[in-house]
Amino acid sequence: LLWLIDHEELSGPVNIASPNPVTNREFMSTLRRVAGISLGLNAATWMLEIGARFMNTETELILKSRYVVPRNLPDSGFQFEYGSWNAAAIYLVNSQRKQK
């Protein structure tokens, strides 16, 4: 967010998304592997509908995928700290473990 404030020349939509998007299957597989969890169960649609109500959102945002790649941020010189989901997942899991 600070990058956007400091770079007023940016205009139009700015996708706050990974520079290397992955599918949900790859996302969860990587997260489980990094966290040392060997089994993952799929959530049923009705479970997601309940969760969406609690989050005050639409299930379509959970169930439908969108392939989004940021263009304006990298074009403006923004550098992602973690260029891959694998590197970001390792950082997140290790950060959580250190907090415990």
Side-chain angles (χ1 to χ4, degrees), residues 9-45:
E9 74 277 4
L10 285 171
S11 64
V14 177
N15 291 319
I16 310 293
S18 167
N20 301 300
V22 296
T23 64
N24 189 54
R25 180 181 303 269
E26 184 179 346
F27 180 90
M28 292 306 299
S29 174
T30 299
L31 185 58
R32 283 192 302 270
R33 179 179 46 75
V34 169
I37 299 170
S38 59
L39 177 65
L41 301 175
N42 293 332
T45 301

Side-chain angles (χ1 to χ4, degrees), residues 47-59 62:
M47 294 175 185
L48 296 174
E49 289 171 353
I50 292 171
R53 286 186 193 261
F54 279 107
M55 296 183 333
N56 198 26
T57 188
E58 298 292 326
T59 54
I62 301 169

